[in-house]
PDB file of all heavy atoms in Angstrom:
ATOM      1  N   LYS B 329       5.566  -1.951  -7.278  1.00  0.00           N
ATOM      2  CA  LYS B 329       4.793  -2.638  -6.244  1.00  0.00           C
ATOM      3  C   LYS B 329       4.641  -1.823  -4.966  1.00  0.00           C
ATOM      4  O   LYS B 329       5.622  -1.356  -4.404  1.00  0.00           O
ATOM      5  CB  LYS B 329       5.414  -4.001  -5.929  1.00  0.00           C
ATOM      6  CG  LYS B 329       5.212  -4.997  -7.075  1.00  0.00           C
ATOM      7  CD  LYS B 329       5.635  -6.418  -6.696  1.00  0.00           C
ATOM      8  CE  LYS B 329       5.695  -7.315  -7.930  1.00  0.00           C
ATOM      9  NZ  LYS B 329       4.447  -7.396  -8.681  1.00  0.00           N
ATOM     10  N   THR B 330       3.425  -1.690  -4.516  1.00  0.00           N
ATOM     11  CA  THR B 330       2.938  -1.016  -3.298  1.00  0.00           C
ATOM     12  C   THR B 330       2.876   0.509  -3.430  1.00  0.00           C
ATOM     13  O   THR B 330       2.277   1.149  -2.573  1.00  0.00           O
ATOM     14  CB  THR B 330       3.746  -1.338  -2.007  1.00  0.00           C
ATOM     15  OG1 THR B 330       4.940  -0.553  -1.979  1.00  0.00           O
ATOM     16  CG2 THR B 330       4.067  -2.817  -1.895  1.00  0.00           C
ATOM     17  N   LEU B 331       3.472   1.091  -4.481  1.00  0.00           N
ATOM     18  CA  LEU B 331       3.480   2.558  -4.579  1.00  0.00           C
ATOM     19  C   LEU B 331       2.433   3.078  -5.555  1.00  0.00           C
ATOM     20  O   LEU B 331       2.048   2.403  -6.505  1.00  0.00           O
ATOM     21  CB  LEU B 331       4.854   3.057  -5.011  1.00  0.00           C
ATOM     22  CG  LEU B 331       6.012   2.744  -4.072  1.00  0.00           C
ATOM     23  CD1 LEU B 331       7.226   3.583  -4.448  1.00  0.00           C
ATOM     24  CD2 LEU B 331       5.647   2.979  -2.611  1.00  0.00           C
ATOM     25  N   ARG B 332       2.003   4.293  -5.278  1.00  0.00           N
ATOM     26  CA  ARG B 332       1.118   5.014  -6.191  1.00  0.00           C
ATOM     27  C   ARG B 332       1.984   5.802  -7.168  1.00  0.00           C
ATOM     28  O   ARG B 332       3.096   6.195  -6.830  1.00  0.00           O
ATOM     29  CB  ARG B 332       0.236   5.970  -5.384  1.00  0.00           C
ATOM     30  CG  ARG B 332      -0.507   5.221  -4.303  1.00  0.00           C
ATOM     31  CD  ARG B 332      -1.119   6.146  -3.272  1.00  0.00           C
ATOM     32  NE  ARG B 332      -1.389   5.359  -2.077  1.00  0.00           N
ATOM     33  CZ  ARG B 332      -1.585   5.866  -0.868  1.00  0.00           C
ATOM     34  NH1 ARG B 332      -1.567   7.179  -0.691  1.00  0.00           N
ATOM     35  NH2 ARG B 332      -1.797   5.070   0.154  1.00  0.00           N
ATOM     36  N   GLN B 333       1.429   6.087  -8.328  1.00  0.00           N
ATOM     37  CA  GLN B 333       2.199   6.842  -9.313  1.00  0.00           C
ATOM     38  C   GLN B 333       2.596   8.206  -8.740  1.00  0.00           C
ATOM     39  O   GLN B 333       3.672   8.727  -9.052  1.00  0.00           O
ATOM     40  CB  GLN B 333       1.383   6.972 -10.597  1.00  0.00           C
ATOM     41  CG  GLN B 333       1.488   5.756 -11.539  1.00  0.00           C
ATOM     42  CD  GLN B 333       0.852   4.471 -11.039  1.00  0.00           C
ATOM     43  OE1 GLN B 333       0.981   4.094  -9.873  1.00  0.00           O
ATOM     44  NE2 GLN B 333       0.151   3.754 -11.923  1.00  0.00           N
ATOM     45  N   SER B 334       1.757   8.791  -7.895  1.00  0.00           N
ATOM     46  CA  SER B 334       2.113  10.079  -7.282  1.00  0.00           C
ATOM     47  C   SER B 334       3.315   9.928  -6.353  1.00  0.00           C
ATOM     48  O   SER B 334       4.085  10.877  -6.175  1.00  0.00           O
ATOM     49  CB  SER B 334       0.914  10.651  -6.523  1.00  0.00           C
ATOM     50  OG  SER B 334       0.354   9.681  -5.671  1.00  0.00           O
ATOM     51  N   ASP B 335       3.479   8.769  -5.747  1.00  0.00           N
ATOM     52  CA  ASP B 335       4.677   8.538  -4.926  1.00  0.00           C
ATOM     53  C   ASP B 335       5.939   8.606  -5.783  1.00  0.00           C
ATOM     54  O   ASP B 335       6.954   9.170  -5.370  1.00  0.00           O
ATOM     55  CB  ASP B 335       4.635   7.150  -4.268  1.00  0.00           C
ATOM     56  CG  ASP B 335       3.521   7.002  -3.260  1.00  0.00           C
ATOM     57  OD1 ASP B 335       3.204   7.999  -2.586  1.00  0.00           O
ATOM     58  OD2 ASP B 335       2.981   5.887  -3.145  1.00  0.00           O
ATOM     59  N   LEU B 336       5.865   8.010  -6.963  1.00  0.00           N
ATOM     60  CA  LEU B 336       7.032   8.011  -7.850  1.00  0.00           C
ATOM     61  C   LEU B 336       7.344   9.428  -8.310  1.00  0.00           C
ATOM     62  O   LEU B 336       8.511   9.800  -8.470  1.00  0.00           O
ATOM     63  CB  LEU B 336       6.771   7.096  -9.046  1.00  0.00           C
ATOM     64  CG  LEU B 336       6.582   5.630  -8.655  1.00  0.00           C
ATOM     65  CD1 LEU B 336       5.920   4.842  -9.775  1.00  0.00           C
ATOM     66  CD2 LEU B 336       7.926   5.011  -8.289  1.00  0.00           C
ATOM     67  N   GLU B 337       6.302  10.223  -8.516  1.00  0.00           N
ATOM     68  CA  GLU B 337       6.525  11.630  -8.861  1.00  0.00           C
ATOM     69  C   GLU B 337       7.198  12.356  -7.696  1.00  0.00           C
ATOM     70  O   GLU B 337       8.129  13.129  -7.885  1.00  0.00           O
ATOM     71  CB  GLU B 337       5.188  12.288  -9.218  1.00  0.00           C
ATOM     72  CG  GLU B 337       4.627  11.774 -10.547  1.00  0.00           C
ATOM     73  CD  GLU B 337       3.142  12.074 -10.740  1.00  0.00           C
ATOM     74  OE1 GLU B 337       2.530  12.706  -9.852  1.00  0.00           O
ATOM     75  OE2 GLU B 337       2.598  11.667 -11.777  1.00  0.00           O
ATOM     76  N   THR B 338       6.700  12.097  -6.470  1.00  0.00           N
ATOM     77  CA  THR B 338       7.293  12.727  -5.288  1.00  0.00           C
ATOM     78  C   THR B 338       8.752  12.303  -5.117  1.00  0.00           C
ATOM     79  O   THR B 338       9.602  13.105  -4.723  1.00  0.00           O
ATOM     80  CB  THR B 338       6.479  12.357  -4.031  1.00  0.00           C
ATOM     81  OG1 THR B 338       5.131  12.780  -4.230  1.00  0.00           O
ATOM     82  CG2 THR B 338       7.042  13.019  -2.789  1.00  0.00           C
ATOM     83  N   LEU B 339       9.030  11.037  -5.417  1.00  0.00           N
ATOM     84  CA  LEU B 339      10.411  10.545  -5.323  1.00  0.00           C
ATOM     85  C   LEU B 339      11.279  11.103  -6.449  1.00  0.00           C
ATOM     86  O   LEU B 339      12.479  10.879  -6.483  1.00  0.00           O
ATOM     87  CB  LEU B 339      10.436   9.008  -5.386  1.00  0.00           C
ATOM     88  CG  LEU B 339       9.878   8.262  -4.172  1.00  0.00           C
ATOM     89  CD1 LEU B 339       9.722   6.779  -4.491  1.00  0.00           C
ATOM     90  CD2 LEU B 339      10.796   8.437  -2.964  1.00  0.00           C
ATOM     91  N   ASP B 340      10.643  11.794  -7.383  1.00  0.00           N
ATOM     92  CA  ASP B 340      11.312  12.396  -8.535  1.00  0.00           C
ATOM     93  C   ASP B 340      11.858  11.355  -9.513  1.00  0.00           C
ATOM     94  O   ASP B 340      12.881  11.587 -10.168  1.00  0.00           O
ATOM     95  CB  ASP B 340      12.429  13.356  -8.079  1.00  0.00           C
ATOM     96  CG  ASP B 340      12.643  14.464  -9.108  1.00  0.00           C
ATOM     97  OD1 ASP B 340      11.701  14.765  -9.860  1.00  0.00           O
ATOM     98  OD2 ASP B 340      13.769  14.995  -9.166  1.00  0.00           O
ATOM     99  N   ALA B 341      11.176  10.218  -9.600  1.00  0.00           N
ATOM    100  CA  ALA B 341      11.500   9.241 -10.642  1.00  0.00           C
ATOM    101  C   ALA B 341      11.036   9.820 -11.974  1.00  0.00           C
ATOM    102  O   ALA B 341       9.891  10.242 -12.097  1.00  0.00           O
ATOM    103  CB  ALA B 341      10.810   7.912 -10.360  1.00  0.00           C
ATOM    104  N   LYS B 342      11.941   9.834 -12.975  1.00  0.00           N
ATOM    105  CA  LYS B 342      11.588  10.410 -14.265  1.00  0.00           C
ATOM    106  C   LYS B 342      11.334   9.336 -15.309  1.00  0.00           C
ATOM    107  O   LYS B 342      10.862   9.629 -16.401  1.00  0.00           O
ATOM    108  CB  LYS B 342      12.707  11.346 -14.739  1.00  0.00           C
ATOM    109  CG  LYS B 342      12.910  12.573 -13.848  1.00  0.00           C
ATOM    110  CD  LYS B 342      11.766  13.545 -13.992  1.00  0.00           C
ATOM    111  CE  LYS B 342      11.810  14.711 -13.008  1.00  0.00           C
ATOM    112  NZ  LYS B 342      13.048  15.485 -13.021  1.00  0.00           N
ATOM    113  N   ILE B 343      11.701   8.098 -14.955  1.00  0.00           N
ATOM    114  CA  ILE B 343      11.489   6.986 -15.885  1.00  0.00           C
ATOM    115  C   ILE B 343      11.341   5.710 -15.063  1.00  0.00           C
ATOM    116  O   ILE B 343      12.056   5.520 -14.070  1.00  0.00           O
ATOM    117  CB  ILE B 343      12.647   6.861 -16.907  1.00  0.00           C
ATOM    118  CG1 ILE B 343      12.416   5.673 -17.866  1.00  0.00           C
ATOM    119  CG2 ILE B 343      14.002   6.774 -16.217  1.00  0.00           C
ATOM    120  CD1 ILE B 343      13.370   5.671 -19.057  1.00  0.00           C
ATOM    121  N   ILE B 344      10.385   4.877 -15.421  1.00  0.00           N
ATOM    122  CA  ILE B 344      10.205   3.593 -14.746  1.00  0.00           C
ATOM    123  C   ILE B 344      10.098   2.492 -15.799  1.00  0.00           C
ATOM    124  O   ILE B 344       9.916   2.768 -16.985  1.00  0.00           O
ATOM    125  CB  ILE B 344       8.967   3.568 -13.823  1.00  0.00           C
ATOM    126  CG1 ILE B 344       7.682   3.795 -14.621  1.00  0.00           C
ATOM    127  CG2 ILE B 344       9.108   4.611 -12.701  1.00  0.00           C
ATOM    128  CD1 ILE B 344       6.407   3.616 -13.791  1.00  0.00           C
ATOM    129  N   LEU B 345      10.205   1.254 -15.340  1.00  0.00           N
ATOM    130  CA  LEU B 345      10.151   0.110 -16.247  1.00  0.00           C
ATOM    131  C   LEU B 345       8.780  -0.564 -16.244  1.00  0.00           C
ATOM    132  O   LEU B 345       8.103  -0.598 -15.211  1.00  0.00           O
ATOM    133  CB  LEU B 345      11.151  -0.958 -15.789  1.00  0.00           C
ATOM    134  CG  LEU B 345      12.389  -1.126 -16.647  1.00  0.00           C
ATOM    135  CD1 LEU B 345      13.270   0.093 -16.440  1.00  0.00           C
ATOM    136  CD2 LEU B 345      13.137  -2.387 -16.273  1.00  0.00           C
ATOM    137  N   GLY B 346       8.425  -1.117 -17.376  1.00  0.00           N
ATOM    138  CA  GLY B 346       7.304  -2.045 -17.448  1.00  0.00           C
ATOM    139  C   GLY B 346       7.820  -3.330 -18.071  1.00  0.00           C
ATOM    140  O   GLY B 346       8.814  -3.306 -18.806  1.00  0.00           O
ATOM    141  N   ASN B 347       7.164  -4.449 -17.797  1.00  0.00           N
ATOM    142  CA  ASN B 347       7.657  -5.726 -18.305  1.00  0.00           C
ATOM    143  C   ASN B 347       6.790  -6.256 -19.436  1.00  0.00           C
ATOM    144  O   ASN B 347       5.610  -6.567 -19.238  1.00  0.00           O
ATOM    145  CB  ASN B 347       7.709  -6.766 -17.184  1.00  0.00           C
ATOM    146  CG  ASN B 347       9.019  -6.724 -16.444  1.00  0.00           C
ATOM    147  OD1 ASN B 347       9.079  -6.214 -15.347  1.00  0.00           O
ATOM    148  ND2 ASN B 347      10.083  -7.210 -17.059  1.00  0.00           N
ATOM    149  N   THR B 348       7.403  -6.396 -20.583  1.00  0.00           N
ATOM    150  CA  THR B 348       6.700  -6.854 -21.778  1.00  0.00           C
ATOM    151  C   THR B 348       6.069  -8.222 -21.587  1.00  0.00           C
ATOM    152  O   THR B 348       4.903  -8.437 -21.933  1.00  0.00           O
ATOM    153  CB  THR B 348       7.700  -6.875 -22.956  1.00  0.00           C
ATOM    154  OG1 THR B 348       8.033  -5.516 -23.247  1.00  0.00           O
ATOM    155  CG2 THR B 348       7.124  -7.549 -24.179  1.00  0.00           C
ATOM    156  N   TYR B 349       6.833  -9.143 -21.021  1.00  0.00           N
ATOM    157  CA  TYR B 349       6.331 -10.506 -20.829  1.00  0.00           C
ATOM    158  C   TYR B 349       5.067 -10.500 -19.965  1.00  0.00           C
ATOM    159  O   TYR B 349       4.041 -11.083 -20.325  1.00  0.00           O
ATOM    160  CB  TYR B 349       7.434 -11.351 -20.177  1.00  0.00           C
ATOM    161  CG  TYR B 349       7.003 -12.714 -19.677  1.00  0.00           C
ATOM    162  CD1 TYR B 349       6.953 -13.809 -20.529  1.00  0.00           C
ATOM    163  CD2 TYR B 349       6.660 -12.904 -18.341  1.00  0.00           C
ATOM    164  CE1 TYR B 349       6.567 -15.068 -20.065  1.00  0.00           C
ATOM    165  CE2 TYR B 349       6.275 -14.152 -17.873  1.00  0.00           C
ATOM    166  CZ  TYR B 349       6.224 -15.231 -18.733  1.00  0.00           C
ATOM    167  OH  TYR B 349       5.843 -16.464 -18.273  1.00  0.00           O
ATOM    168  N   HIS B 350       5.135  -9.819 -18.807  1.00  0.00           N
ATOM    169  CA  HIS B 350       3.991  -9.818 -17.896  1.00  0.00           C
ATOM    170  C   HIS B 350       2.784  -9.103 -18.505  1.00  0.00           C
ATOM    171  O   HIS B 350       1.654  -9.576 -18.385  1.00  0.00           O
ATOM    172  CB  HIS B 350       4.368  -9.149 -16.575  1.00  0.00           C
ATOM    173  CG  HIS B 350       5.259  -9.989 -15.720  1.00  0.00           C
ATOM    174  ND1 HIS B 350       6.621  -9.825 -15.684  1.00  0.00           N
ATOM    175  CD2 HIS B 350       4.984 -11.021 -14.887  1.00  0.00           C
ATOM    176  CE1 HIS B 350       7.147 -10.714 -14.843  1.00  0.00           C
ATOM    177  NE2 HIS B 350       6.184 -11.449 -14.356  1.00  0.00           N
ATOM    178  N   LEU B 351       3.024  -7.979 -19.137  1.00  0.00           N
ATOM    179  CA  LEU B 351       1.894  -7.202 -19.659  1.00  0.00           C
ATOM    180  C   LEU B 351       1.285  -7.856 -20.901  1.00  0.00           C
ATOM    181  O   LEU B 351       0.085  -7.701 -21.165  1.00  0.00           O
ATOM    182  CB  LEU B 351       2.335  -5.767 -19.952  1.00  0.00           C
ATOM    183  CG  LEU B 351       2.731  -4.988 -18.686  1.00  0.00           C
ATOM    184  CD1 LEU B 351       3.385  -3.656 -19.055  1.00  0.00           C
ATOM    185  CD2 LEU B 351       1.509  -4.760 -17.789  1.00  0.00           C
ATOM    186  N   TYR B 352       2.109  -8.595 -21.640  1.00  0.00           N
ATOM    187  CA  TYR B 352       1.609  -9.372 -22.777  1.00  0.00           C
ATOM    188  C   TYR B 352       0.619 -10.433 -22.275  1.00  0.00           C
ATOM    189  O   TYR B 352      -0.436 -10.662 -22.866  1.00  0.00           O
ATOM    190  CB  TYR B 352       2.794 -10.011 -23.503  1.00  0.00           C
ATOM    191  CG  TYR B 352       2.446 -11.183 -24.390  1.00  0.00           C
ATOM    192  CD1 TYR B 352       1.979 -10.987 -25.690  1.00  0.00           C
ATOM    193  CD2 TYR B 352       2.605 -12.492 -23.926  1.00  0.00           C
ATOM    194  CE1 TYR B 352       1.665 -12.075 -26.507  1.00  0.00           C
ATOM    195  CE2 TYR B 352       2.298 -13.571 -24.741  1.00  0.00           C
ATOM    196  CZ  TYR B 352       1.824 -13.361 -26.023  1.00  0.00           C
ATOM    197  OH  TYR B 352       1.511 -14.425 -26.826  1.00  0.00           O
ATOM    198  N   LEU B 353       0.973 -11.078 -21.145  1.00  0.00           N
ATOM    199  CA  LEU B 353       0.092 -12.118 -20.602  1.00  0.00           C
ATOM    200  C   LEU B 353      -1.134 -11.505 -19.919  1.00  0.00           C
ATOM    201  O   LEU B 353      -2.252 -11.983 -20.090  1.00  0.00           O
ATOM    202  CB  LEU B 353       0.860 -12.993 -19.596  1.00  0.00           C
ATOM    203  CG  LEU B 353       1.952 -13.905 -20.184  1.00  0.00           C
ATOM    204  CD1 LEU B 353       2.703 -14.618 -19.065  1.00  0.00           C
ATOM    205  CD2 LEU B 353       1.361 -14.936 -21.150  1.00  0.00           C
ATOM    206  N   ARG B 354      -0.930 -10.466 -19.133  1.00  0.00           N
ATOM    207  CA  ARG B 354      -2.035  -9.817 -18.410  1.00  0.00           C
ATOM    208  C   ARG B 354      -1.759  -8.339 -18.281  1.00  0.00           C
ATOM    209  O   ARG B 354      -0.717  -8.002 -17.720  1.00  0.00           O
ATOM    210  CB  ARG B 354      -2.195 -10.431 -16.992  1.00  0.00           C
ATOM    211  CG  ARG B 354      -2.637 -11.867 -16.999  1.00  0.00           C
ATOM    212  CD  ARG B 354      -2.972 -12.344 -15.588  1.00  0.00           C
ATOM    213  NE  ARG B 354      -1.873 -12.145 -14.663  1.00  0.00           N
ATOM    214  CZ  ARG B 354      -1.807 -12.691 -13.437  1.00  0.00           C
ATOM    215  NH1 ARG B 354      -2.780 -13.469 -13.015  1.00  0.00           N
ATOM    216  NH2 ARG B 354      -0.798 -12.472 -12.629  1.00  0.00           N
ATOM    217  N   PRO B 355      -2.577  -7.434 -18.682  1.00  0.00           N
ATOM    218  CA  PRO B 355      -3.910  -7.659 -19.247  1.00  0.00           C
ATOM    219  C   PRO B 355      -3.895  -7.947 -20.740  1.00  0.00           C
ATOM    220  O   PRO B 355      -4.953  -8.131 -21.320  1.00  0.00           O
ATOM    221  CB  PRO B 355      -4.603  -6.316 -18.984  1.00  0.00           C
ATOM    222  CG  PRO B 355      -3.509  -5.314 -19.115  1.00  0.00           C
ATOM    223  CD  PRO B 355      -2.281  -5.991 -18.569  1.00  0.00           C
ATOM    224  N   GLY B 356      -2.718  -8.012 -21.370  1.00  0.00           N
ATOM    225  CA  GLY B 356      -2.636  -8.194 -22.818  1.00  0.00           C
ATOM    226  C   GLY B 356      -2.333  -6.864 -23.494  1.00  0.00           C
ATOM    227  O   GLY B 356      -2.932  -5.854 -23.166  1.00  0.00           O
ATOM    228  N   HIS B 357      -1.379  -6.897 -24.451  1.00  0.00           N
ATOM    229  CA  HIS B 357      -0.960  -5.627 -25.060  1.00  0.00           C
ATOM    230  C   HIS B 357      -2.037  -5.031 -25.947  1.00  0.00           C
ATOM    231  O   HIS B 357      -2.099  -3.814 -26.105  1.00  0.00           O
ATOM    232  CB  HIS B 357       0.350  -5.806 -25.835  1.00  0.00           C
ATOM    233  CG  HIS B 357       0.264  -6.778 -26.973  1.00  0.00           C
ATOM    234  ND1 HIS B 357       0.054  -8.125 -26.786  1.00  0.00           N
ATOM    235  CD2 HIS B 357       0.361  -6.603 -28.313  1.00  0.00           C
ATOM    236  CE1 HIS B 357       0.028  -8.732 -27.966  1.00  0.00           C
ATOM    237  NE2 HIS B 357       0.207  -7.828 -28.902  1.00  0.00           N
ATOM    238  N   GLU B 358      -2.910  -5.876 -26.502  1.00  0.00           N
ATOM    239  CA  GLU B 358      -3.961  -5.316 -27.364  1.00  0.00           C
ATOM    240  C   GLU B 358      -4.953  -4.504 -26.535  1.00  0.00           C
ATOM    241  O   GLU B 358      -5.455  -3.471 -26.976  1.00  0.00           O
ATOM    242  CB  GLU B 358      -4.674  -6.424 -28.148  1.00  0.00           C
ATOM    243  CG  GLU B 358      -3.814  -7.095 -29.223  1.00  0.00           C
ATOM    244  CD  GLU B 358      -3.303  -6.119 -30.313  1.00  0.00           C
ATOM    245  OE1 GLU B 358      -3.666  -4.928 -30.316  1.00  0.00           O
ATOM    246  OE2 GLU B 358      -2.502  -6.578 -31.154  1.00  0.00           O
TER     247      GLU B 358
END
Side-chain angles (χ1 to χ4, degrees):
Chain B
K329 289 189 192 303
T330 80
L331 298 194
R332 305 166 199 161
Q333 276 68 317
S334 50
D335 294 326
L336 297 163
E337 290 163 1
T338 302
L339 290 169
D340 209 25
K342 295 289 173 55
I343 179 168
I344 62 173
L345 252 71
N347 272 104
T348 292
Y349 169 84
H350 287 98
L351 294 170
Y352 161 83
L353 291 175
R354 294 188 305 193
H357 62 294
E358 291 300 355

